[in-house]
Amino acid sequence: MTDSKKIIDNCINSISDLDYSTMQKAREYQSTLAMPPGSLGVLLDIGVQLAGMTGCVKNKIDSSRIIVLCADNGVVSEGVSSAPKSVTASQAVNMTKGLTGMSCLARYFGCQVQVVDVGIETEYDCPAILNKKIRSGTGNIAREPAMSLQNAEEAVADGIELAKLAKKDGISIIGVGEMGIGNTTTSTAVLSALTGFAPEKITGRGGGITDEAFFKKIKVIETSLVVNKPDSNDVLDVLHKVGGLDIAAMCGVFLGAAQNRIPVVIDGYISIVAALCAYRMCDRSVKFFIASHMSEEVGYNVAARELNITPFLNLKMRLGEGSGCPLAFKVVESACTIMNSMATFEQALIDDSYLEEIRHK
């Protein structure tokens, strides 16, 4: 067994369930707040979920970090993307400067951004990018496996360690983003392999492509599944055959966050496919996931149903990068504020007996 596989197995074995007794206490406390029962909706649900993660009825988000996993994908050579491979490196560098969609939002809201190279192919000069490069890009999945099984294990293990580092650094909440030209193709291949949905039913247009390129993309994904024959019951097999280094490392971050009991926010399509990978490796992990926004990508809803998770924002976004995470962090902070600052009926000098009939329905 490799060291990376040991890290993965140890992580999975140490992921424990939510603290349901504290969750019940949180619900009971919410029932004393000066409002009609359940009237703050999802904010209340988040407050209860956080209580289950931390074991505390009241919680606070002191710091946030978006971990962005960056890697290139060999399948780009099949013409499935409108952008050249070099954009991966360019945008990774721009993220460190607060110049991309995600990073300018993160800067505005005061979120940390950790850009991680797990497989960028183009050379760049940027010390601010954390170098965890496993290999320079993946193989072309239409012709060969994306990477070796050991590469996939290394990527997942690296993601686990990044979540562990966030815990050590005192981070309260993590967001999972990515940068990798061609990764909607690899994500769809992974999603199809795991769920059995035909590529033609779940393939989207990613960053925007012509009709000709779109139909080619579907064919490429279909071919990749025939050529590589991934085992739908083995996530690591799927990742190494038709996945990407970014998706594998993101999967590891989701697992590592659950291991360290840190709330972890799903961004868009690539992020939710990575979350599905983590869930398939350990179903307990999903209880630590928070879905941010509903991606415009076709396959997003398929993955969300598999996870039985519902995003609380619908902004018609499809950028990726982790762009939904800064917005979601503020929603989660709002849920904490309700628990920490809202008055109870007693504090507000309100007799709540008029609500008894409603509460018992």
Side-chain angles (χ1 to χ4, degrees):
M1 183 183 294
T2 65
D3 289 342
S4 296
K5 190 61 167 59
K6 289 177 182 176
I7 291 171
I8 295 169
D9 289 348
N10 177 65
C11 174
I12 290 171
N13 291 334
S14 60
I15 294 174
S16 55
D17 211 336
L18 296 178
D19 182 338
Y20 292 106
S21 63
T22 303
M23 292 172 73
Q24 181 58 31
K25 290 176 184 176
R27 291 189 191 94
E28 291 169 358
Y29 178 72
Q30 288 175 347
S31 72
T32 71
L33 296 177
M35 61 178 171
S39 57
L40 280 172
V42 173
L43 293 180
L44 301 178
D45 296 338
I46 293 171
V48 171
Q49 185 182 8
L50 291 176
M53 296 181 199
T54 67
C56 300
V57 170
K58 298 183 179 183
N59 291 283
K60 188 176 179 182
I61 303 298
D62 295 313
S63 56
S64 57
R65 176 178 293 173
I66 304 168
I67 303 176
V68 187
L69 290 310
C70 306
D72 278 302
N73 301 282
V75 73
V76 170
S77 64
E78 296 291 327
V80 295
S81 175
S82 59
K85 212 178 269 188
S86 60
V87 172
T88 301
S90 297
Q91 285 294 78
V93 172
N94 287 331
M95 285 177 182
T96 69
K97 300 175 181 179
L99 300 177
T100 71
M102 172 277 299
S103 58
C104 74
L105 287 171
R107 175 175 288 184
Y108 178 77
F109 286 125
C111 314
Q112 293 182 22
V113 176
Q114 183 181 56
V115 183
V116 187
D117 176 1
V118 289
I120 298 175
E121 186 171 323
T122 305
E123 291 187 9
Y124 60 87
D125 181 14
C126 183
I129 295 176
L130 180 61
N131 184 6
K132 291 283 187 180
K133 193 190 299 286
I134 294 167
R135 53 182 278 177
S136 293
T138 58
N140 179 354
I141 60 172
R143 302 173 185 272
E144 62 183 333
M147 65 192 93
S148 69
L149 178 59
Q150 184 173 348
N151 290 157
E153 291 172 352
E154 288 173 5
V156 174
D158 281 350
I160 291 169
E161 293 299 306
L162 289 168
K164 182 179 179 180
L165 177 62
K167 179 72 170 182
K168 181 180 178 182
D169 290 343
I171 300 299
S172 306
I173 190 168
I174 295 171
V176 183
E178 41 63 40
M179 185 63 231
I181 299 304
N183 61 10
T184 58
T185 298
T186 51
S187 294
T188 304
V190 169
L191 182 61
S192 180
L194 292 177
T195 64
F197 275 83
E200 66 181 66
K201 300 292 186 183
I202 57 174
T203 301
R205 292 179 181 263
I209 51 178
T210 65
D211 287 345
E212 181 183 357
F214 174 63
F215 292 119
K216 180 186 287 186
K217 181 177 180 179
I218 294 172
K219 289 296 183 184
V220 165
I221 295 167
E222 290 172 344
T223 300
S224 74
L225 297 171
V226 172
V227 168
N228 292 293
K229 297 179 176 58
D231 180 353
S232 62
N233 297 310
D234 185 340
V235 172
L236 287 170
D237 187 71
V238 171
L239 289 170
H240 109 73
K241 287 179 176 174
V242 297
L245 291 159
D246 49 357
I247 302 169
M250 294 164 78
C251 168
V253 175
F254 282 112
L255 289 171
Q259 178 189 26
N260 288 281
R261 306 189 75 80
I262 306 174
V264 58
V265 171
I266 299 168
D267 176 36
Y269 181 49
I270 293 95
S271 189
I272 203 168
V273 170
L276 178 60
C277 289
Y279 168 70
R280 287 291 183 87
M281 293 179 77
C282 177
D283 58 4
R284 297 183 301 280
S285 65
V286 73
K287 298 178 182 181
F288 295 84
F289 302 171
I290 297 172
S292 59
H293 71 100
M294 184 181 295
S295 170
E296 286 285 277
E297 276 292 305
V298 178
Y300 179 92
N301 287 332
V302 171
R305 286 194 297 270
E306 290 285 324
L307 290 167
N308 193 26
I309 197 167
T310 304
F312 44 70
L313 298 172
N314 186 356
L315 303 174
K316 300 189 182 300
M317 292 167 57
R318 54 184 178 84
L319 176 63
E321 299 183 6
S323 52
C325 298
L327 303 170
F329 292 161
K330 291 303 170 183
V331 174
V332 176
E333 287 178 28
S334 299
C336 292
T337 296
I338 296 301
M339 297 294 285
N340 293 323
S341 303
M342 189 173 178
T344 62
F345 284 105
E346 183 178 359
Q347 291 166 337
L349 304 178
I350 296 173
D351 179 358
D352 64 338
S353 59
Y354 71 97
L355 291 173
E356 284 306 308
E357 185 175 347
I358 297 174
R359 284 178 175 147
H360 290 96
K361 281 190 175 181

